[in-house]
Amino acid sequence: MEQFTSRALIYKAYCDENRLRIIDRLTLGEHCACDLLDQLPIGQSTLSHHMKILVESGIVSQRKNGKWVYYSLNDEGCKNSIDLLNEIVKKKYEVLNECNCDTEDKA
């Protein structure tokens, strides 16, 4: 069951427009929360909510420097999300190749 919990966290991270915008910004490098707020049409509490989800998923890392929090993409977390999607696609094609169903239309 634990594997599904971690998978759900990863998918949840990608299932919101604002989180996708944040990820897009982070592809350019590390950003502090104040920079992200300036670049996105959301408020501080909304950003905090989204960053919590992204950090919990492992896709984003955070570090604190004084009163500022800096965010960046986590290489290992991003690799895990890619591996997860590849695993699903691989299983799909394995099942399709094992299928013995008659695919011809019967009249």
Side-chain angles (χ1 to χ4, degrees):
M1 193 60 133
E2 194 174 303
Q3 79 179 25
F4 293 112
T5 301
S6 64
R7 288 177 181 186
L9 288 173
I10 291 170
Y11 286 127
K12 182 178 181 179
Y14 288 116
C15 289
D16 182 88
E17 272 183 61
N18 287 315
R19 288 193 287 273
L20 292 175
R21 286 185 183 105
I22 292 166
I23 291 168
D24 184 60
R25 298 286 193 261
L26 295 178
T27 61
L28 303 173
E30 183 180 70
H31 288 276
C32 71
C34 61
D35 288 341
L36 292 170
L37 284 170
D38 288 343
Q39 298 171 10
L40 299 166
I42 58 176
Q44 190 276 325
S45 62
T46 302
L47 177 67
S48 293
H49 169 75
H50 290 308
M51 297 316 297
K52 180 178 186 278
I53 291 168
L54 289 168
V55 169
E56 285 177 351
S57 74
I59 296 167
V60 171
S61 295
Q62 68 178 12
R63 70 176 181 87
K64 221 172 163 154
N65 186 4
K67 66 177 185 172
W68 300 111
V69 179
Y70 292 85
Y71 298 98
S72 60
L73 291 179
N74 179 312
D75 292 340
E76 186 65 28
C78 291
K79 181 185 177 306
N80 288 342
S81 66
I82 291 168
D83 290 346
L84 179 58
L85 187 56
N86 283 334
E87 179 183 322
I88 291 169
V89 171
K90 180 181 174 188
K91 282 182 183 179
K92 174 188 172 190
Y93 285 105
E94 286 173 356
V95 169
L96 287 175
N97 289 333
E98 292 175 4
C99 182
N100 294 322
C101 301
D102 185 8
T103 57
E104 293 182 24
D105 291 333
K106 296 182 179 182

